[in-house]
Amino acid sequence: MTTRSPRSARILAVLGTAAATLVVWVIAAVLLDVKLDVRMKPGAALQHIGPATVVVAGLVAGLAAWALLALLERLTPRARRVWTVIAVVVLALSLIAPLQSGVTTGAKVALLCMHLVAAAVLVPALARTAVRR
């Protein structure tokens, strides 16, 4: 069995998150023909969620999670636990946005699935890399 450095495992976690959310987008938008449109404010113009948006959001979320974990590793010996709690709270809060901004039920469900899949990949993958001191 090959062991990876924490850095390479974290890179794979971030890339895996972006890829996994893109797979959900393909299933929803391409295979199921869900119109992934959101309205950020009442009365605002519709915005379409395309594949580039999904990939960039996955990368940004993954890199932010990595940065927070790295910071916590410097500040506390319980970085893994603290980071995991924060990640779960952020996930719970992130589920509000699709429910409020998705235009159709299909869009809301697909966007919720993207958030959940991102967390399902990112949280355990990054938590495993936490350095214990």
Side-chain angles (χ1 to χ4, degrees):
M1 182 170 157
T2 305
T3 58
R4 290 190 179 97
S5 70
R7 182 174 184 226
S8 63
R10 290 175 184 187
I11 291 169
L12 288 174
V14 171
L15 294 176
T17 299
T21 55
L22 183 59
V23 167
V24 174
W25 182 89
V26 168
I27 291 168
V30 177
L31 299 178
L32 299 176
D33 199 30
V34 174
K35 303 298 179 223
L36 290 169
D37 294 326
V38 297
R39 189 180 311 272
M40 299 313 281
K41 296 180 192 174
L46 289 180
Q47 294 178 340
H48 181 71
I49 304 298
T53 303
V54 171
V55 169
V56 169
L59 293 173
V60 168
L63 292 171
W66 179 353
L68 178 60
L69 179 57
L71 176 64
L72 289 171
E73 286 173 332
R74 293 172 188 234
L75 298 176
T76 178
R78 297 179 151 220
R80 179 185 306 199
R81 177 173 285 158
V82 172
W83 180 85
T84 302
V85 169
I86 292 170
V88 170
V89 169
V90 168
L91 167 64
L93 292 173
S94 82
L95 298 177
I96 296 169
L99 292 173
Q100 291 182 336
S101 62
V103 174
T104 65
T105 300
K108 290 177 184 188
V109 169
L111 293 167
L112 285 169
C113 287
M114 285 183 225
H115 284 238
L116 293 170
V117 164
V121 171
L122 195 59
V123 173
L126 283 184
R128 275 193 297 272
T129 70
V131 176
R132 296 179 187 218
R133 2 180 222 157

